[in-house]
Amino acid sequence: MTPVHDEDSPMLTTHPFDDDKLREECGVFGILSHTQAAAITALGLHALQHRGQEACGIVSYDGDRFHLQHALGLVGDHFSSESVIAKLKGPQAIGHVRYATTGDTSIRNVQPLYADFEFGGFALAHNGNLTNAQTLRRQLVRRGCLFQSTTDTEVIVHLMAIARGGSPVDRLIEAVRQVEGAFSLVALTPNEVIGVRDPLGVRPLVLGKLGDTHILTSETCALDIVGAEYLRDVEPGEMVVLTESGVQSLRPFQPQGRRFCIFEYIYFARPDSVMEGSSVYSARQRIGAELARESGIAADVVVPVPDSGVPAAIGYATQSGIPFELGIIRNHYVGRTFIEPTDQIRHLGVKLKHNANRAMIEGKRVVLVDDSIVRGTTSKKIVEMVRAAGAKEVHMRISSPPTSHPCFYGIDTPEQSKLLAHRLSVEEMRDFIQADSLAFISLDGLYRAMGEEKRDAKKLRYCDACFTGEYPIPLTDAVENPPTEANVRIRA
């Protein structure tokens, strides 16, 4: 079960030309009792690739031994090989795609994590971020625990190791009751595949069925790719145990309501997924329509910043009556062309990923629709590119409120001082990106698009802390050791 890469493997960068997007968290997949468990898991991870492009891993169990394959890079770079899949023997498996929200990008941090317990082997994959992981880690180290990685997920493994005996399920329950933060977990034991969702349900987790086989995964698009049926979302605070005898539902936490990450609808989830019963694509169209109602302007063409801006731009164009055109074309084959791009290549920046479609924008008043502005550097370059292609006016419309606060629940955001919306007013941001006008959807408008009259602080069912700074889960580590330039990556 030796990982396929060692610590000297080249360090790939997820977005070598653009650090101006919020990074997806991670994606998980688990399947019980199928003759092609590893192959199906690999397919599921392909569908979840947007949730993490730095590393991937699969652990399987054949009734006698656990088999582990970890790799830096994309799923297709490693798990498309029949010889690799053949090594992952057994009818049950779990998998993970990763973007590093905690820890560095090295093979020791690639999930699923594996450990040998008294009851046998145990593998764990985690989407989210634990906000008291460093506090717990210090306590565990003082007790003699030896950590093998720098990821927060390993804290759960050590909490299970010192638990007061019992079954793997009992140990996992005792462990997750001690952690704070956002987590959707998929675990593999000799007899079960287990899924757990944090008490507020910040991160997604769904249950599906393929024939007589049950699947746990982050998004419904991973069920679609393997031909599985979507059954339901795992509820906030629920533990689902898959065994040969069926599905068992446990409630290890006190009920705390629901605070699903609203940015899943804006950007993170794949548009063909269904989240919490709502089509992501339709939600983005509604957000775009609401944006047009709030901040419409006279223009000749609506142009999305591809690809994440497309559904909102369609909604904006439909509501405003302004024609929709693909005025920017994305190059889909850039992602890992260069492992360590030179300064000259970095300077080309956006042009390697996007190119203006001059025929659609020359001489026109253009409305550019994008999902967010983080540092603002990409927006500035895109506005410049569209102007250079002959646009008469460039108006930027953003389908999220200003992102003014960092996320501590599984999204890799810059430290607060690097967020453009934290430092500048909307008018100052407009001046920075050199647009003729700039508007964001309002918080109330975002909630209207999600089917509510407005944002009601007393009845919130979404986490919107990146817009408001109202964090629904304690930030224990951040309070005890505030983020700095040196440690913000771990904090996020």
Side-chain angles (χ1 to χ4, degrees):
M1 292 187 292
T2 302
V4 296
H5 287 273
D6 60 29
E7 293 291 345
D8 296 324
S9 298
M11 305 298 282
L12 300 178
T13 54
T14 304
H15 296 268
F17 315 113
D18 178 14
D19 62 354
D20 194 25
K21 279 288 186 184
L22 300 180
R23 301 290 184 242
E24 296 87 341
E25 322 87 28
C26 296
V28 298
F29 190 96
I31 184 169
L32 178 83
S33 188
H34 196 285
T35 55
Q36 300 184 63
I40 289 173
T41 300
L43 283 173
L45 295 182
H46 270 288
L48 299 174
Q49 188 73 85
H50 60 288
R51 299 188 72 88
Q53 300 91 45
E54 286 192 351
C56 51
I58 296 176
V59 175
S60 68
Y61 180 65
D62 64 6
D64 179 44
R65 294 185 61 198
F66 285 79
H67 304 273
L68 165 66
Q69 289 288 314
H70 282 163
L72 298 176
L74 303 177
V75 177
D77 294 340
H78 185 69
F79 289 109
S80 59
S81 166
E82 290 185 11
S83 61
V84 172
I85 295 297
K87 296 176 183 177
L88 293 163
K89 301 175 183 178
Q92 56 200 53
I94 65 171
H96 188 265
V97 289
R98 180 174 193 262
Y99 181 79
T101 58
T102 67
D104 54 9
T105 306
S106 63
I107 202 68
R108 64 177 177 164
N109 286 333
V110 180
Q111 298 186 29
L113 300 183
Y114 177 81
D116 282 306
F117 286 89
E118 182 182 4
F119 59 75
F122 178 83
L124 180 66
H126 171 204
N127 168 209
N129 198 56
L130 306 182
T131 56
N132 67 338
Q134 292 195 10
T135 301
L136 290 172
R137 185 185 181 108
R138 287 192 292 269
Q139 296 171 1
L140 289 163
V141 168
R142 284 196 291 268
R143 293 191 59 168
C145 294
L146 302 176
F147 281 76
Q148 303 300 309
S149 75
T150 59
T151 180
D152 60 342
T153 311
E154 192 179 355
V155 167
I156 298 174
V157 175
H158 287 283
L159 289 173
M160 290 181 64
I162 63 172
R164 295 163 295 185
S167 68
V169 170
D170 292 335
R171 287 174 178 263
L172 184 56
I173 288 174
E174 185 172 334
V176 296
R177 282 176 173 168
Q178 298 176 66
V179 300
E180 299 169 353
F183 53 89
S184 284
L185 308 175
V186 173
L188 176 64
T189 79
N191 300 305
E192 305 120 338
V193 170
I194 307 168
V196 191
R197 201 169 174 201
D198 69 75
L200 296 182
V202 177
R203 303 262 70 88
L205 190 64
V206 300
L207 175 67
K209 193 172 185 182
L210 178 62
D212 296 327
T213 298
H214 284 94
I215 294 172
L216 288 162
T217 188
S218 296
E219 294 187 36
T220 60
C221 63
L223 300 175
D224 296 337
I225 198 173
V226 301
E229 173 191 3
Y230 164 69
L231 295 181
R232 65 177 179 86
D233 287 71
V234 176
E235 291 295 316
E238 182 182 14
M239 174 180 282
V240 173
V241 183
L242 310 182
T243 66
E244 294 288 350
S245 59
V247 179
Q248 182 183 13
S249 175
L250 304 174
R251 298 284 181 170
F253 308 101
Q254 292 293 322
Q256 296 185 35
R258 184 185 298 266
R259 294 294 292 274
F260 185 63
C261 173
I262 201 165
F263 227 109
E264 291 281 358
Y265 288 110
I266 296 168
Y267 173 63
F268 292 126
R270 247 177 60 166
D272 51 334
S273 284
V274 175
M275 291 275 181
E276 301 284 289
S278 297
S279 160
V280 173
Y281 186 88
S282 296
R284 290 177 187 171
Q285 282 190 311
R286 294 194 305 271
I287 292 170
E290 187 64 34
L291 183 60
R293 282 189 285 268
E294 287 190 343
S295 58
I297 194 167
D300 302 307
V301 63
V302 175
V303 172
V305 178
D307 287 323
S308 56
V310 171
I314 293 173
Y316 189 103
T318 301
Q319 176 64 34
S320 66
I322 301 171
F324 170 94
E325 296 289 354
L326 294 178
I328 299 173
I329 305 301
R330 181 182 173 189
N331 178 2
H332 289 266
Y333 303 97
V334 171
R336 294 177 180 275
T337 304
F338 306 94
I339 292 178
E340 294 182 359
T342 64
D343 288 342
Q344 182 179 4
I345 294 297
R346 285 187 184 277
H347 182 68
L348 293 175
V350 170
K351 291 185 178 181
L352 286 167
K353 296 177 68 175
H354 300 101
N355 189 49
N357 184 4
R358 180 179 289 271
M360 294 296 104
I361 60 181
E362 188 171 17
K364 296 179 180 178
R365 298 168 296 173
V366 178
V367 175
L368 286 176
V369 179
D370 203 357
D371 57 84
S372 60
I373 292 180
V374 183
R375 290 179 172 89
T377 51
T378 297
S379 299
K380 184 174 183 177
K381 291 175 183 177
I382 286 177
V383 169
E384 178 184 357
M385 179 179 67
V386 172
R387 285 200 192 281
K392 186 187 300 183
E393 298 174 7
V394 183
H395 304 276
M396 181 72 82
R397 295 295 181 266
I398 306 298
S399 63
S400 65
T403 305
S404 54
H405 294 77
C407 177
F408 295 87
Y409 303 137
I411 313 301
D412 188 36
T413 52
E415 61 179 297
Q416 192 167 23
S417 64
K418 299 290 181 65
L419 294 170
L420 199 67
H422 175 72
R423 297 189 289 111
L424 305 179
S425 68
V426 173
E427 176 57 24
E428 289 170 332
M429 293 172 73
R430 181 210 61 77
D431 183 63
F432 177 83
I433 68 173
Q434 292 294 290
D436 290 288
S437 71
L438 170 65
F440 296 79
I441 194 170
S442 68
L443 266 172
D444 284 344
L446 177 59
Y447 276 81
R448 280 193 297 271
M450 298 309 300
E452 302 185 13
E453 291 184 9
K454 61 178 182 178
R455 182 184 188 270
D456 186 343
K458 296 180 180 179
K459 296 187 294 185
L460 284 181
R461 61 189 184 97
Y462 296 108
C463 177
D464 56 16
C466 53
F467 310 132
T468 65
E470 297 175 15
Y471 296 97
I473 303 170
L475 305 179
T476 301
D477 288 342
V479 170
E480 293 188 5
N481 187 18
T484 67
E485 180 68 29
N487 69 14
V488 67
R489 184 175 172 85
I490 293 179
R491 294 299 175 204

